[in-house]
Amino acid sequence: MSGLPLRVAHAHGDHVSVLAGGVELLRYVYRPEAAWEAPKPYAHPLRTLAGHTVTGYRPNDHRWHKGLQMTASYLSGQNLWGGDTYVPGEGYVALPERVGSMAHRSFDRLDGQGGRATVEERLTWHPHGGEAWADELRRIEVHDVDPAAGCWALTWSSAVTNRRAEPLRFGSPTTRGREMAGYTGLFWRGPRAFRGGAVLGPDSEGDALMGTEAEWLAYTGEHDGVDGHATLVFAHAPENDHTGAGGAHPAHWFVRSEPFAAVAPSFAFHDELVLPPGGTLARRYRVLVADGAWDRARITAHLAALAW
């Protein structure tokens, strides 16, 4: 149960904010942006309960990195990630004709009550040509706001339905031949100050987690401007690994602390995921946003208290 009341505010045509105790914890932006950046809704800023920002926005190295967002780095030959497209044998190439988008259509629900704020949205996924390739029902929930522990939780659910007459093939640069670049799906870009942060998992840490399976992954960074650290813990729901539309595809972690902070529980790191016509790819993820540098014991105990 939330220790602070949650409020949802809507700036029509632009963004939705979730606020607790005077702090904007999350701003969900759904206005369209530059076509080359594969326009799509995103959450930025995310803030800790102390009001410190833990996401980056349009960094000069990758302008299409925007806070926390659902992406698709390779989708049946299209790029719904943004920027240059990875081409086997050539590397990253500017191919604007392959850069697609995810478009906001409507909100089914915007409310904050009972210690939980809910944003429920309908979107469509498009290749560069504008055809409707997929429909998505997305739910973002803010809950378990805990001032004593200095943290709050976000649960992101996405259900993507293939509207084509042929399969949708989800992949990544790694499925196209680039080693250890399996980024796709839900993606977090940290602020520049978080470069060189600490990466921790249930049984290992640091670079050893890249491309592996684990129940959760934590990233701790140190703020600029104010003293102290923040920890983000990323977890995926148990059913994400089960066989369903697209087959059994367990999440593998994409994580970097250099040259920038980034985390993604990729659903197509090593192998393509094939979604048949009419099939739905459903995934749930959780992000714990905490003030301070949390250790493994504290993370494990807090996650155990959060029921899926």
Side-chain angles (χ1 to χ4, degrees):
M1 180 62 67
S2 172
L4 292 172
L6 294 173
R7 183 168 64 89
V8 175
H10 189 189
H12 290 269
D14 194 272
H15 69 269
V16 175
S17 294
V18 177
L19 303 98
V23 175
E24 183 186 48
L25 298 180
L26 176 154
R27 177 177 294 186
Y28 184 73
V29 182
Y30 63 93
R31 67 173 183 271
E33 298 194 354
W36 179 69
E37 297 171 13
K40 63 184 79 67
Y42 58 88
H44 172 79
L46 295 185
R47 293 188 177 94
T48 69
L49 287 179
H52 305 318
T53 299
V54 294
T55 46
Y57 173 73
R58 295 191 77 243
N60 58 29
D61 49 56
H62 295 79
R63 294 294 191 197
W64 48 96
H65 287 187
K66 298 171 183 177
L68 181 70
Q69 58 181 340
M70 179 59 70
T71 68
S73 56
Y74 176 87
L75 183 67
S76 294
Q78 289 282 302
N79 167 3
L80 275 68
W81 171 267
D84 293 347
T85 299
Y86 183 78
V87 178
E90 299 181 45
Y92 288 95
V93 181
L95 297 172
E97 68 276 11
R98 293 195 192 179
V99 180
S101 63
M102 300 178 191
H104 166 82
R105 286 293 175 255
S106 63
F107 288 116
D108 285 358
R109 183 178 174 187
L110 294 173
D111 63 47
Q113 56 184 337
R116 182 177 293 262
T118 301
V119 176
E120 193 169 283
E121 179 188 29
R122 294 185 184 273
L123 307 94
T124 49
W125 292 29
H126 305 272
H128 181 76
E131 304 93 323
W133 273 14
D135 294 331
E136 181 188 352
L137 179 60
R138 180 178 298 179
R139 178 191 289 257
I140 297 172
E141 299 167 281
V142 174
H143 55 96
D144 289 281
V145 179
D146 188 340
C151 65
W152 59 276
L154 177 154
T155 297
W156 182 302
S157 306
S158 286
V160 181
T161 301
N162 181 4
R163 295 306 184 198
R164 301 180 80 194
E166 57 189 276
L168 278 174
R169 306 185 72 91
F170 293 81
S172 67
T174 294
T175 68
R176 306 291 289 162
R178 186 184 177 211
E179 292 186 2
M180 292 302 175
Y183 52 83
T184 198
L186 189 68
F187 181 82
W188 167 79
R189 171 68 188 254
R192 197 169 297 279
F194 279 24
R195 177 179 176 177
V199 178
L200 189 66
D203 303 304
S204 58
E205 58 190 62
D207 293 342
L209 282 157
M210 175 67 96
T212 67
E213 297 178 46
E215 182 182 352
W216 56 265
L217 182 148
Y219 193 106
T220 298
E222 186 172 6
H223 300 295
D224 278 342
V226 296
D227 293 335
H229 298 74
T231 299
L232 287 90
V233 184
F234 302 86
H236 54 94
E239 73 267 16
N240 287 3
D241 290 347
H242 294 173
T243 301
H249 252 73
H252 292 81
W253 292 105
F254 175 87
V255 56
R256 283 183 178 159
S257 61
E258 294 286 354
F260 51 77
V263 174
S266 173
F267 48 61
F269 193 111
H270 299 290
D271 302 295
E272 283 192 353
L273 186 157
V274 181
L275 186 66
T280 297
L281 175 65
R283 291 292 187 269
R284 282 196 300 162
Y285 306 97
R286 180 159 291 156
V287 183
L288 183 67
V289 181
D291 284 298
W294 285 32
D295 60 20
R296 185 176 284 119
R298 188 175 184 185
I299 293 167
T300 302
H302 201 90
L303 287 178
L306 297 178
W308 280 100

